[in-house]
Amino acid sequence: MQPMAGRFGLPTTVLLAVVGAAIGATAAFVLNSPDITLFDAVARPFAAPPVTAAVFLDCFLPILLFQASITIDIRRLIEDAVPILVLAVLAVLVTTGLIGWTVSTLSGEPLIPALLLGSIVATTDPAAVVAIFRDLGAPARLTRLVEGESLLNDAAAISIFTILIGLLKSGGHVELGTAVAHFALSFGGGILLGIVAGRLATASLPLLHGERAAEMTLTLALPYLVFILGEEHLQVSGVVAVVAAGVTFGSTGLSRITPLNWAFLNELWEQLAFWAGSFIFILAAILVPTLLIDVGPHDLVLMGAALGAALVARILVLFGVLPPLTWLKWSAPVSTAYKLVITWGGLRGAVTVALALAVTEDTGLDPAVKRFVAVLATGFVLFTLFVNGTTLRTVIRLLKLDRLSPRDEALRDNVVALSLADLRDSLAATATDYRMSDAVAAETLARYTQRIETATQRRETRVAALGDERAEVLERDRLAIALVALASHERRLVLDHHAQGTASRRVVESLLRGSDAMVDAARTDGRSGYIKAVKQVGRYTIGFRTAHLLHRRLRIETPLARRLAERLEQLLVMRMLLDELGRFITHKLARFLDDRLVQIIRDIVDIRRDRTRRMLDALQAQYPEYSAALERRILEQAALRQEQQAYRGLYDEGLIGQELYEDLSRRLRKRQSSTGARPHLDLSLRPGELMRRIDLFRDLAPGQAERLGRLARPLIAVPGDQLVRKGERGDSVFFISSGAVEVILPGEPVTLGRGDIFGEMALLTGEPRRADVTAVTYSQLLVLHAADFRRFLGANPDIQATIQQILDSRLTAEAARSATALGAS
């Protein structure tokens, strides 16, 4: 069916439905024909297939939902969260109500069975629509809106379906508040269950040690476990739970699975989804002749009314609800062309057939209700597949959504011309290497030269047609596209480090979040957005600040040690990334951009490189031995990866046998496991040792230094920490064991370093603090409470005299500064 669909320009699902219906009709004809009995045994399973609604909903639906949710770009989905929720929830409610009221009015059926029909046909199937979009090159946002809607509207429709089934069986005695609460609980509970399950699954991935078969098995089990747990045990929406689990796994699993295994996972799930989708359409279509065996003219009228009501409902939501949300700045604008395509592209598919089949199997429902729902729902599906599905391509072309904008066409022509130039040079080298005849080489290269000239002329013509103002906009767009490419390349480099094992999982997660934010910001706001996103990278995270707070308040060191080690590793990897980005600018971007744009991008990267270097230098100065250990680990991991690739290359070339290759691989895995973990960072916060680093206490007896150390509290200060506030009451004194702080005084700030003391002035004079003191680098301090400080001075008159001298000199300097400031005024 796939080659045929491509040949005739039709969605594969449409042809599968035709084949399925033909199989079902042929089987029914064979069984009902008295003259043909030879094939009855073969035809019977197809005429009355042993396929229940559970096969569709429990077996195939979790696969389709999970595959769609792990591959969707959640960051871009959030950008359109409001219109997607409107389409997925509000549109389902409006469609259910309008179809129910229309069909009930025309047919005389009670309202609840008509509403049940509405809920069944309110679900949309994106498979055929998205296939058409991708085939025609429709805008990515249009595809995202349709895919996002389909992920959630199944859950909304199934929840309403469940409520209405309960109403029918109970005789209509269900309060509206109870129904709404059930819907909210089912929806919200499914989201919570899916997020928790997805997090647990990603947390368990490191335990599998990169074993591909185990990772694939875990992902296959996850949607089924979540679906069954939600539907059968927790009474929440299993559909929503599967979607939430897939989105969570897709957004957090990439840093826990090697890029090679992640690519295999996507291919595996794409194949599973293809099989599941194909089975659904074939099996559902086989049932069509059975469901429509006694359809009559009255049914066709009601079917037309339901189709019209569904169309009107989507128009009301898209053209009546979305514009006010745009005016309120709750949603980005959705163009009229997009709305028309979404309206016409509301195809129904397997879920609708499965729900209709579930109604026919329910022994607690009236047979008349079963027939009413089955006939109209099946006809509804067939109409949308064979009419909407076959004409959607034409609608997209009429609305010109398959074309690039003039700016995009100009950018495309520029890229094509440069790419063809590279290809022409490569072909010339290839012709020389393989000693092709000059005539053949010249003929082939001439064709590429002609294409280059054509693309260049087209670009110049389009740029001229844009005018000066729009040409300036085009240049801004080119810069934005280049920054998106830069951030995307940075993301690929992060994944390369992940594959090599040169960056730990948490560092990879952090760097991926940063690069994703840069891509989004550059795509949305261009240069200014990219710069804003860059400024966020390297800032202290909530986790780091929490660990630092635990250290300062509760003297808990382990979380801070872990976060400092992680930050040092991240800065090391960032330094490597920025160096690689510089080479990417030189060898790639410079070929597609003019010199001015290239220099702008270089300047941005240079600023990032300088900022990273300053942050890294500050940490390396405090922990030089640990920094060297991290660099050593990175080099060892890179060497092991390269060694593995070398052995693989020798094996592929037949230079070593399989047994030798496997032996070498086993030895490598053992070495990788021994060097894979990041070394532990020892903060060295032993007060006695820190005390001996301070010149003031160097002459103390060992026992006395240890006793003083037990009284003092060690403190790690990070750049920007405000240690002392002007005007506060002094309750402690600070000794600098390593690092530096800045005292903010009138005129010029004063920097204090290793061995210096601050905070003593307020204790000895009894006055409030006279200045703010802020850490300018990572520093190790000792904090001594006021009472302990005074007792220590009383027991050590020599040190007391030294500190008094420091105090006197500082008071003298302060008086001199005040006099100078007074004279200047």
Side-chain angles (χ1 to χ4, degrees):
M1 292 299 101
Q2 284 184 303
M4 289 181 65
R7 182 177 303 172
F8 295 115
L10 292 173
T12 305
T13 52
V14 172
L15 292 186
L16 289 172
V18 171
V19 171
I23 292 173
T26 302
F29 172 76
V30 169
L31 282 181
N32 293 317
S33 175
D35 299 327
I36 305 176
T37 59
L38 181 61
F39 300 104
D40 285 1
V42 176
R44 191 168 291 108
F46 292 97
V51 178
T52 64
V55 172
F56 293 103
L57 297 177
D58 298 346
C59 184
F60 296 131
L61 188 58
I63 289 180
L64 294 174
L65 293 172
F66 192 76
Q67 187 272 338
S69 53
I70 62 170
T71 55
I72 201 164
D73 189 341
I74 184 62
R75 294 172 293 107
R76 306 303 304 278
L77 193 67
I78 291 174
E79 294 175 8
D80 286 312
V82 172
I84 286 172
L85 286 174
V86 167
L87 288 169
V89 180
L90 182 60
V92 168
L93 293 171
V94 173
T95 301
T96 299
L98 191 56
I99 289 177
W101 177 81
T102 302
V103 173
S104 176
T105 302
L106 290 178
S107 66
E109 287 280 345
L111 181 60
I112 293 179
L115 289 173
L116 181 64
L117 170 67
S119 69
I120 290 173
V121 299
T123 64
T124 58
D125 191 321
V129 180
V130 171
I132 293 172
F133 286 173
R134 289 173 178 165
D135 186 40
L136 293 179
R141 189 186 181 210
L142 182 58
T143 303
R144 189 165 61 249
L145 288 171
V146 172
E147 285 185 318
E149 174 197 8
S150 70
L151 281 178
L152 295 178
N153 72 357
D154 286 346
I158 291 173
S159 297
I160 298 171
F161 171 84
T162 303
I163 293 171
L164 292 171
I165 286 287
L167 280 169
L168 277 175
K169 292 183 177 181
S170 64
H173 301 297
V174 175
E175 296 182 0
L176 178 61
T178 303
V180 172
H182 178 271
F183 178 80
L185 178 63
S186 177
F187 214 87
I191 292 176
L192 181 61
L193 172 61
I195 291 174
V196 171
R199 284 285 183 181
L200 289 175
T202 53
S204 65
L205 284 171
L207 303 176
L208 305 179
H209 302 292
E211 292 293 338
R212 177 181 292 181
E215 291 172 347
M216 300 308 113
T217 305
L218 175 65
T219 62
L220 183 60
L222 177 60
Y224 287 109
L225 290 172
V226 170
F227 186 82
I228 294 170
L229 186 61
E231 293 287 338
E232 303 295 334
H233 300 284
L234 299 181
Q235 280 69 55
V236 299
S237 173
V239 172
V240 174
V242 170
V243 170
V247 169
T248 303
F249 190 91
S251 59
T252 60
L254 181 57
S255 62
R256 298 168 186 254
I257 297 179
T258 64
L260 190 62
N261 283 5
W262 186 262
F264 181 81
L265 182 146
N266 282 323
E267 293 173 359
L268 171 67
W269 274 97
E270 185 177 350
Q271 186 64 53
L272 290 173
F274 169 72
W275 283 335
S278 300
F279 276 128
I280 282 178
F281 274 97
I282 286 285
L283 294 174
I286 287 174
L287 297 170
V288 166
T290 304
L291 296 174
L292 295 182
I293 195 168
D294 57 348
V295 65
H298 181 64
D299 298 318
L300 296 177
V301 172
L302 295 180
M303 198 181 301
L307 288 163
L311 195 64
V312 170
R314 287 181 77 81
I315 291 173
L316 287 175
V317 172
L318 287 166
F319 290 89
V321 177
L322 284 185
L325 295 177
T326 302
W327 299 334
L328 293 171
K329 307 296 183 183
W330 291 357
S331 168
V334 180
S335 68
T336 301
Y338 281 20
K339 293 174 185 175
L340 291 172
V341 170
I342 293 172
T343 299
W344 191 247
L347 276 64
R348 274 60 171 181
V351 176
T352 299
V353 175
L355 294 178
L357 190 60
V359 170
T360 64
E361 295 171 1
D362 197 323
T363 57
L365 295 178
D366 187 341
V369 171
K370 294 181 183 181
R371 181 197 174 278
F372 167 77
V373 169
V375 169
L376 295 186
T378 305
F380 199 106
V381 171
L382 292 178
F383 184 90
T384 59
L385 278 178
F386 295 140
V387 177
N388 298 52
T390 56
T391 58
L392 182 59
R393 191 182 299 265
T394 302
V395 172
I396 292 174
R397 286 193 174 120
L398 288 175
L399 295 173
K400 299 180 179 180
L401 290 177
D402 57 336
R403 303 180 185 177
L404 295 175
S405 66
R407 285 190 306 229
D408 288 340
E409 287 180 337
L411 290 172
R412 180 199 62 190
D413 292 336
N414 184 49
V415 171
V416 168
L418 291 171
S419 299
L420 288 175
D422 288 343
L423 179 59
R424 180 185 58 186
D425 295 341
S426 176
L427 280 176
T430 301
T432 301
D433 291 341
Y434 290 105
R435 293 182 290 180
M436 300 294 179
S437 66
D438 293 340
V440 172
E443 179 186 352
T444 304
L445 295 175
R447 288 200 297 269
Y448 282 93
T449 302
Q450 179 62 39
R451 291 178 62 188
I452 293 169
E453 293 174 354
T454 302
T456 303
Q457 292 172 359
R458 275 203 310 260
R459 177 185 176 278
E460 292 173 352
T461 302
R462 289 192 172 106
V463 171
L466 290 172
D468 293 339
E469 182 177 349
R470 296 182 69 186
E472 183 180 346
V473 173
L474 174 62
E475 187 172 76
R476 288 201 301 270
D477 288 347
R478 292 177 66 194
L479 178 58
I481 291 172
L483 291 173
V484 170
L486 186 71
S488 299
H489 185 69
E490 183 172 347
R491 189 177 194 276
R492 287 191 292 272
L493 292 175
V494 173
L495 292 176
D496 288 343
H497 281 280
H498 176 37
Q500 292 181 10
T502 50
S504 62
R505 176 184 57 79
R506 291 182 62 88
V507 167
V508 170
E509 287 179 351
S510 178
L511 292 174
L512 284 177
R513 282 196 300 269
S515 59
D516 288 342
M518 291 178 218
V519 170
D520 292 340
R523 186 179 285 122
T524 304
D525 298 318
R527 178 183 178 184
S528 62
Y530 180 86
I531 292 174
K532 288 179 183 177
V534 163
K535 290 180 179 178
Q536 298 299 319
V537 178
R539 287 189 175 183
Y540 299 123
T541 63
I542 295 176
F544 186 95
R545 294 185 183 278
T546 302
H548 190 225
L549 184 65
L550 290 173
H551 164 67
R552 294 191 64 171
R553 301 298 185 192
L554 304 177
R555 306 188 185 185
I556 300 174
E557 299 176 7
T558 303
L560 181 59
R562 188 180 300 118
R563 294 291 179 175
L564 283 171
E566 181 181 304
R567 183 172 179 82
L568 181 50
E569 180 190 0
Q570 180 171 334
L571 290 172
L572 282 171
V573 176
M574 282 177 60
R575 184 181 65 184
M576 293 188 289
L577 292 177
L578 292 170
D579 289 341
E580 291 168 332
L581 286 182
R583 291 189 286 272
F584 174 73
I585 294 171
T586 300
H587 298 301
K588 292 293 183 181
L589 290 184
R591 300 177 62 83
F592 295 91
L593 302 172
D594 56 48
D595 293 341
R596 195 177 76 84
L597 293 182
V598 171
Q599 190 57 48
I600 290 174
I601 297 173
R602 285 191 194 280
D603 291 342
I604 293 173
V605 173
D606 287 343
I607 292 172
R608 288 186 63 191
R609 187 184 286 114
D610 291 341
R611 178 168 172 261
T612 301
R613 178 185 52 77
R614 289 194 301 270
M615 292 189 292
L616 180 59
D617 288 346
L619 258 179
Q620 286 180 323
Q622 188 64 43
Y623 305 106
E625 296 85 0
Y626 185 75
S627 176
L630 278 181
E631 291 180 339
R632 193 177 302 112
R633 171 185 171 272
I634 290 173
L635 282 177
E636 288 175 352
Q637 289 291 325
L640 289 171
R641 180 70 175 178
Q642 292 172 17
E643 188 176 349
Q644 182 183 30
Q645 292 173 344
Y647 293 153
R648 183 69 195 185
L650 292 173
Y651 174 71
D652 290 339
E653 293 168 359
L655 297 176
I656 60 175
Q658 183 174 354
E659 291 182 358
L660 178 56
Y661 172 69
E662 291 178 352
D663 179 71
L664 293 171
S665 298
R666 280 195 299 271
R667 293 174 182 272
L668 268 180
R669 284 195 292 270
K670 289 180 181 179
R671 290 165 57 194
Q672 285 174 333
S673 63
S674 63
T675 60
R678 183 176 59 209
H680 173 70
L681 172 61
D682 182 7
L683 295 181
S684 300
L685 297 181
R686 288 173 282 277
E689 181 181 332
L690 295 177
M691 277 291 179
R692 285 190 290 273
R693 295 182 188 175
I694 300 171
D695 294 340
L696 190 64
F697 306 125
R698 185 166 294 171
D699 296 331
L700 288 177
Q704 195 174 10
E706 290 297 330
R707 285 194 297 273
L708 180 59
R710 285 193 292 269
L711 294 174
R713 175 171 64 89
L715 175 67
I716 295 287
V718 301
D721 267 0
Q722 190 163 8
L723 303 168
V724 169
R725 294 181 183 275
K726 185 178 180 180
E728 287 183 340
R729 175 180 171 272
D731 61 354
S732 55
V733 63
F734 298 80
F735 301 94
I736 304 175
S737 178
S738 64
V741 302
E742 192 172 63
V743 184
I744 311 300
L745 294 170
E748 187 174 346
V750 175
T751 300
L752 302 178
R754 177 173 177 172
D756 285 329
I757 178 175
F758 64 93
E760 83 291 345
M761 192 177 295
L763 300 187
L764 296 178
T765 63
E767 298 177 1
R769 303 283 195 191
R770 300 189 178 198
D772 292 332
V773 181
T774 304
V776 294
T777 185
Y778 292 92
S779 306
Q780 289 183 334
L781 310 174
L782 283 168
V783 185
L784 195 60
H785 194 269
D788 296 325
F789 178 62
R790 292 190 182 98
R791 282 196 297 269
F792 172 74
L793 292 184
N796 297 273
D798 293 341
I799 294 178
Q800 183 178 14
T802 302
I803 291 179
Q804 186 63 45
Q805 290 176 2
I806 295 172
L807 174 63
D808 293 340
S809 65
R810 289 180 177 178
L811 288 173
T812 301
E814 183 178 347
R817 279 192 298 269
S818 299
T820 302
L822 183 62
S825 63

